[in-house]
Amino acid sequence: IGLVVSDIRNPFFTALSRAVEDAAYQADMRVMLCNTDENPAREAMYLRLMQEERITGLIYAPTRATADRLDRMSFDFPVVLVDRAGPPGRQDSVLIDNQEAARRLVEHLAGQGHTRIGGLFGNTSSTAIERHQGYVAAMTARGLTPEARFIAPNAEAAGEEVMRWLAQPDHPRAFITSNGLLLLGVVKAVRARGLSIPDEVAMVGFDHDIWTELVGPGLTVIEQPVADIGRTAMTLLFERLEHPDMPPRKVVLAGRLVVRGST
């Protein structure tokens, strides 16, 4: 089984890799893990490798550039997309309801009295776009003004962006991020400015990892059902191998809001 992820440093993809490997082991199969690091050229190289190795099937989180043209690509093996969507009706996929999850984070912050909520979203995936859409919809419904930035999906970029924000006298008092690495960048920037969490700056984001429980008062996050995503992806892959002509399926799972002290 091939597993191609976009950033193995992201807690979501680390946990997903474990879940897929566990399911593959139970089926007496091996996993070939490749990390694209959000680089389309590197991604193309790994996809060629998968073809050459004649893998049984592929579980795949495409970069944004590749996801946009998946309808023009062909594979010699079944493909199940995870975390990121491609063109409708082509591949099986397992996702969470990103817009609804982002809406819940905004509603939670707004319920704490926050009216300026800065948004940090990765610039390389359909997932970030969907979470941005949920953020904008929830802010607009509340009569609030969205203040969003699309940046490289890593902690360094998030930290730099938040430092610029925090240098302004009237900066947002709350932030929402589209992944765990961006959330880490927010934490570092807030600490570097000597601000307290959540009294001076609140924050929420996606992806539960052990560090989110340990940082400061703990960080409020959307916990994705990663184990379920991995198991479901493997199930779809096995079913596709048995029934290659069945219509493509899209499984949408719900994230869970985990409230901690950062809000």
Side-chain angles (χ1 to χ4, degrees):
I1 297 295
L3 174 61
V4 175
V5 301
S6 57
D7 189 351
I8 197 63
R9 297 170 300 173
N10 186 316
F12 171 83
F13 289 119
T14 303
L16 178 71
S17 301
R18 291 196 297 266
V20 169
E21 186 175 25
D22 288 345
Y25 178 78
Q26 294 296 323
D28 197 26
M29 304 184 79
R30 294 175 297 166
V31 175
M32 179 186 296
L33 171 63
C34 297
N35 175 43
T36 68
D37 204 24
E38 299 287 4
N39 183 330
R42 187 170 174 175
E43 178 183 39
M45 177 191 70
Y46 285 137
L47 292 177
R48 288 195 300 271
L49 174 64
M50 298 294 173
Q51 298 276 12
E52 293 166 1
E53 292 294 326
R54 300 181 181 276
I55 61 171
T56 302
L58 175 63
I59 295 175
Y60 180 28
T63 61
R64 181 174 174 182
T66 304
D68 291 341
R69 58 185 178 87
L70 276 173
D71 57 342
R72 302 191 297 275
M73 298 172 64
S74 61
F75 299 93
D76 297 332
F77 40 76
V79 176
V80 177
L81 302 180
V82 289
D83 185 56
R84 299 172 176 189
R90 289 301 303 268
Q91 283 89 17
D92 295 321
S93 59
V94 187
L95 313 164
I96 73 161
D97 190 336
N98 289 300
Q99 292 192 36
E100 171 61 16
R103 186 197 66 77
R104 292 182 66 193
L105 288 175
V106 171
E107 286 293 322
H108 176 71
L109 287 172
Q112 302 296 312
H114 293 286
T115 57
R116 287 195 66 190
I117 303 171
L120 293 168
F121 301 88
N123 60 4
T124 57
S125 73
S126 60
T127 298
I129 292 174
E130 291 172 359
R131 292 172 183 175
H132 173 258
Q133 291 168 343
Y135 159 81
V136 170
M139 293 286 286
T140 303
R142 282 264 183 172
L144 305 177
T145 302
E147 300 179 61
R149 306 283 189 274
F150 280 97
I151 60 175
N154 58 59
E156 293 75 18
E160 292 170 3
E161 192 65 44
V162 172
M163 287 295 283
R164 285 190 285 269
W165 240 326
L166 296 178
Q168 303 170 10
D170 186 27
H171 61 76
R173 267 32 182 202
F175 291 94
I176 175 175
T177 72
S178 64
N179 71 40
L181 293 176
L182 297 183
L183 186 59
L184 178 60
V186 175
V187 172
K188 289 181 175 181
V190 169
R191 283 185 167 179
R193 294 287 296 184
L195 301 174
S196 66
I197 305 170
D199 294 336
E200 293 176 286
V201 177
M203 61 192 69
V204 298
F206 283 79
D207 300 331
H208 166 74
D209 196 43
I210 187 64
W211 72 267
T212 63
E213 299 181 47
L214 303 177
V215 170
L219 304 180
T220 295
V221 295
I222 290 289
E223 181 180 21
Q224 302 192 68
V226 186
D228 290 340
I229 291 172
R231 286 192 294 266
T232 302
M234 289 293 288
T235 297
L236 292 181
L237 193 60
F238 292 149
E239 291 176 352
R240 177 63 57 188
L241 288 168
E242 293 181 7
H243 307 285
D245 297 325
M246 70 169 58
R249 296 153 298 167
K250 179 179 180 180
V251 178
V252 179
L253 303 175
R256 183 172 72 94
L257 179 64
V258 179
V259 177
R260 301 194 184 103
S262 66
T263 56

